[in-house]
Amino acid sequence: MPAVEGLMQDYELSIQHVLWRIERMHPKKEIVTKREQGYHRTTNGDMVLRINQLAGALKRLGVKPGDRVATLAWNNYRHLELYYAVPSMGAVLHTLNLRLFPQHLEFIINDAEDKVLFVDQTLVALLKPLAGKIPSIKTIILMTDGAPAPADHGLGEMLDYETLLKAENDDYAWPKLSERMAAAMCYTSGTTGNPKGVVYSHRSQFIHTMGVLQADNLGLTEKDTVLPIVPMFHANSWGLPYACGMAGCKVLFPDRFMGDAKSIVELAEQEDATILAGVPTIWINTATFLKESGKRLPKVHTVICGGSAIPRSVMEAMDGLGLRMLHAWGMTETSPLGSVARPRAGTDPKDELNARLTQGMIVPGVEIRICDAASGEELPWDGVAFGEIQVRGPWIARGYHNGYDPDKLTEDGWFRTGDVAKISPEGYIQIVDRTKDVIKSGGEWISSVELENAIMAHPKILEAAVIGLVHPKWDERPVAFAVPRPEFKGQVTQAEIVDFLRDKVAKWWLPDEVRFIDEVPKTSVGKFDKKVLRANAAPIKESAAPAGRA
Ligand code: AMP
């Protein structure tokens, strides 16, 4: 029997639909961007006119469907205009990570063969080392509120964003797009080797946006005012720019003040933010600022946190300040939303915190499995067995730009995340480690993440990272690098930390050494850079009695 065809329309899923919504459904909604002085304010309605002008300007500059348009910019309204104009005209938005080393930026721009580059005035200096090394870039466009580009940037003539827009009409004839076309690309943060280009399609972005909006996921609504502190150059700012557009949220942008807790709190307070989003480091700083200043943010109902595991101490501190955290997991290759930690119906209140500290439930639309590293066999969801997370779904990468790392996809088409996790019978995912960071001691595995979180719960400790160092007898042993809180600098001892851990982790997990440092090195997206720690770590002192086994 021939299959019967469905009789639904072949409506192409694309960013143009989100653009249509902000224009027709939410034209009065505001976008507020922090500026050097005060705030810049605009509305979706006015922004749509500028998006049309921007597409006109890009066309005039020779940008064609499929061309890559790079941005080196903070979270601000101009960046949002690019988020809409570039994909909607069929070109590919390539957000550059402004915290990368120049050689990585150079590699990425050349690998993507970007044609046009938009740069915020405050970031021009980052491009200086690239002068003469990025031949695919034909035009650089400066985004400034008036200040000129630094005189000696060496990059030749730059066009001015506002001047380009003024010369265009505000009724661009948007082309018909296919949903499988590339809409945007974003490179992985390159903690191992060169960064790799993840290419999102219009279809994947559209479905991801719908996924983000679900009530059991991030659950944004038209009533929300959202402050994304997660950078627009990192994994599409967790999909928030399009999710806010689709839902009709008011949006607040911190521009270059992302790391400044005072500015963030003021913006949230003055503009009535209801949802904040950022990595744990942001919340460590925010909690400290709130405690010291006595300020509170009573209108905020959700603080989305992802990018690395939330330490229990941070969630407790934020809860104590009336800021309820929502933990989510994902990666650049998963668009990024993969799982969200909302306690299931019927969870005993005393178990709620533990449930919220897991990486949560895989979101509808994405399938997950955990597989044994050696045999590749799928492991049970018993809360004990742990293996690599593999995922598949409509917003999961099936490869990288230029075909790097084809082994990331299993033979049967699942994406290998490199994260190691166990899954409880109820479906809660608990990340144990990265495959590369898990510590193998005497043939048994130690989770560096769990140890770190246990150490960071110590009242005198601000941050801690744990790595495995070579040990002649045990293969590897854990060594902790701990940063004391400023007021306890020089006043906390290894013995104190190890004693604190004794009733929290198995005896053989106790670190052999605790080394005190001023700061944990971070990657370009603010995660602990264990590669740097490993490269600079002195070997384990064999003469000293191991702290953990003393
Ligand atoms: P990136 O592609 O730079 O966003 O990095 C993705 C990686 O960050 C994941 O593969 C995880 O290792 C880590 N990660 C993201 N979110 C979480 C989370 N909630 N808990 C633990 N690790 C996370």
Side-chain angles (χ1 to χ4, degrees):
M1 272 246 298
V4 179
E5 280 215 359
L7 289 176
M8 293 296 118
Q9 299 183 0
D10 277 330
Y11 178 82
E12 300 290 326
L13 309 179
S14 90
I15 301 304
Q16 286 179 350
H17 175 78
V18 193
L19 182 57
W20 181 87
R21 274 192 81 82
I22 62 169
E23 180 177 9
R24 303 303 289 269
M25 301 294 299
H26 310 295
K28 295 204 174 107
K29 281 302 173 90
E30 274 189 305
I31 298 128
V32 181
T33 303
K34 171 143 177 66
R35 277 296 176 232
E36 299 299 323
Q37 260 91 43
Y39 298 144
H40 172 279
R41 319 185 80 87
T42 185
T43 60
N44 279 338
D46 287 342
M47 182 174 72
V48 168
L49 301 177
R50 285 166 58 85
I51 290 167
N52 277 265
Q53 292 171 323
L54 177 55
L58 284 166
K59 189 173 179 194
R60 198 176 297 279
L61 290 169
V63 171
K64 301 205 167 49
D67 282 346
R68 266 75 74 199
V69 174
T71 59
L72 188 61
W74 297 106
N75 288 17
N76 57 42
Y77 67 97
R78 292 195 184 101
H79 209 170
L80 189 60
E81 289 164 359
L82 284 153
Y83 256 68
Y84 282 107
V86 175
S88 297
M89 68 181 296
V92 185
L93 179 81
H94 176 197
T95 50
L96 296 171
N97 180 341
L98 55 89
R99 302 217 174 90
L100 287 179
F101 294 120
Q103 60 271 33
H104 271 163
L105 273 182
E106 178 189 335
F107 170 83
I108 286 175
I109 293 172
N110 287 323
D111 191 62
E113 294 172 83
D114 296 326
K115 190 165 180 181
V116 176
L117 168 60
F118 287 81
V119 58
D120 272 344
Q121 188 270 343
T122 49
L123 296 170
V124 172
L126 296 181
L127 291 174
K128 201 174 159 190
L130 308 190
K133 296 181 180 162
I134 41 176
S136 63
I137 301 276
K138 302 291 174 251
T139 315
I140 300 183
I141 295 150
L142 180 70
M143 300 189 284
T144 173
D145 289 338
D152 59 345
H153 57 68
L155 297 155
E157 192 206 354
M158 288 189 190
L159 303 181
D160 174 62
Y161 187 90
E162 295 301 328
T163 313
L164 283 181
L165 261 59
K166 274 196 199 99
E168 300 295 330
N169 294 331
D170 54 21
D171 55 353
Y172 189 79
W174 300 106
K176 196 167 163 31
L177 301 178
S178 139
E179 64 180 23
R180 306 214 175 241
M181 286 169 69
M185 64 196 296
C186 188
Y187 278 69
T188 57
S189 33
T191 37
T192 48
N194 267 330
K196 294 175 293 252
V198 178
V199 184
Y200 307 114
S201 63
H202 277 269
R203 175 187 152 85
S204 74
Q205 295 276 43
F206 185 104
I207 306 177
H208 179 256
T209 304
M210 301 293 270
V212 166
L213 292 179
Q214 289 185 343
D216 265 342
N217 296 342
L218 303 189
L220 319 183
T221 73
E222 192 265 340
K223 294 185 181 65
D224 281 309
T225 296
V226 181
L227 169 50
I229 307 161
V230 47
M232 288 168 86
F233 58 75
H234 183 211
N236 280 314
S237 202
W238 297 348
L240 292 171
Y242 297 136
C244 288
M246 197 77 120
C249 308
K250 175 176 170 183
V251 184
L252 311 178
F253 284 131
D255 200 69
R256 66 177 188 84
F257 301 92
M258 264 186 298
D260 175 19
K262 182 166 178 281
S263 299
I264 295 297
V265 169
E266 275 172 14
L267 180 58
E269 189 181 30
Q270 288 170 24
E271 297 296 327
D272 297 330
T274 59
I275 297 181
L276 316 177
V279 294
T281 338
I282 299 278
W283 309 123
I284 293 175
N285 294 340
T286 308
T288 309
F289 175 78
L290 289 171
K291 272 185 205 147
E292 283 169 3
S293 64
K295 281 184 183 280
R296 294 296 179 267
L297 295 169
K299 299 219 170 114
V300 173
H301 60 72
T302 306
V303 176
I304 305 165
C305 184
S308 33
I310 307 189
R312 177 181 291 265
S313 52
V314 177
M315 191 175 277
E316 281 173 341
M318 292 287 280
D319 279 358
L321 292 159
L323 292 170
R324 191 176 167 89
M325 304 205 84
L326 179 63
H327 191 197
W329 165 84
M331 57 200 305
T332 308
E333 292 92 329
T334 64
S335 289
L337 191 63
S339 66
V340 180
R342 294 191 189 264
R344 294 191 77 120
T347 303
D348 191 316
K350 72 175 181 359
D351 297 327
E352 281 229 341
L353 185 66
N354 282 340
R356 289 168 58 215
L357 283 165
T358 68
Q359 278 68 25
M361 305 282 158
I362 196 76
V363 297
V366 182
E367 291 177 26
I368 189 169
R369 67 184 186 191
I370 44 173
C371 294
D372 183 74
S375 66
E377 300 266 305
E378 188 173 350
L379 297 166
W381 292 14
D382 58 7
V384 180
F386 57 84
E388 184 186 38
I389 299 181
Q390 298 180 357
V391 284
R392 67 176 179 191
W395 62 78
I396 309 298
R398 64 176 161 86
Y400 294 105
H401 185 60
N402 286 335
Y404 296 120
D405 220 353
D407 293 346
K408 285 297 263 188
L409 218 60
T410 62
E411 273 174 18
D412 56 350
W414 293 66
F415 181 80
R416 304 160 64 102
T417 63
D419 283 337
V420 180
K422 47 193 178 187
I423 305 181
S424 74
E426 300 85 22
Y428 289 108
I429 302 162
Q430 175 87 59
I431 293 205
V432 178
D433 228 320
R434 291 286 298 163
T435 43
K436 293 177 202 73
D437 294 338
V438 71
I439 299 161
K440 197 160 195 193
S441 179
E444 298 294 334
W445 297 104
I446 297 175
S447 160
S448 66
V449 173
E450 245 174 83
L451 262 180
E452 284 158 10
N453 284 339
I455 299 172
M456 284 192 275
H458 191 285
K460 293 186 182 172
I461 298 297
L462 188 64
E463 284 183 337
V466 175
I467 57 172
L469 289 181
V470 176
H471 189 280
K473 180 164 175 204
W474 302 103
D475 189 11
E476 275 186 338
R477 286 295 303 156
V479 169
F481 292 78
V483 181
R485 291 186 179 278
E487 61 275 28
F488 296 112
K489 206 171 165 188
Q491 294 175 38
V492 46
T493 62
Q494 166 165 304
E496 227 177 318
I497 301 297
V498 174
D499 280 343
F500 177 76
L501 293 176
R502 280 188 203 282
D503 59 352
K504 298 178 181 68
V505 299
K507 190 159 182 270
W508 57 278
W509 278 38
L510 293 172
D512 274 30
E513 283 178 47
V514 181
R515 300 181 187 170
F516 295 99
I517 53 176
D518 290 338
E519 198 187 337
V520 176
K522 309 265 173 21
T523 68
S524 58
V525 289
K527 298 179 193 189
F528 291 167
D529 198 339
K530 298 196 183 176
K531 195 174 54 166
V532 172
L533 272 182
R534 262 185 220 109
N536 299 325
I540 292 185
K541 288 184 217 122
E542 277 182 59
S543 55
R549 286 169 288 124

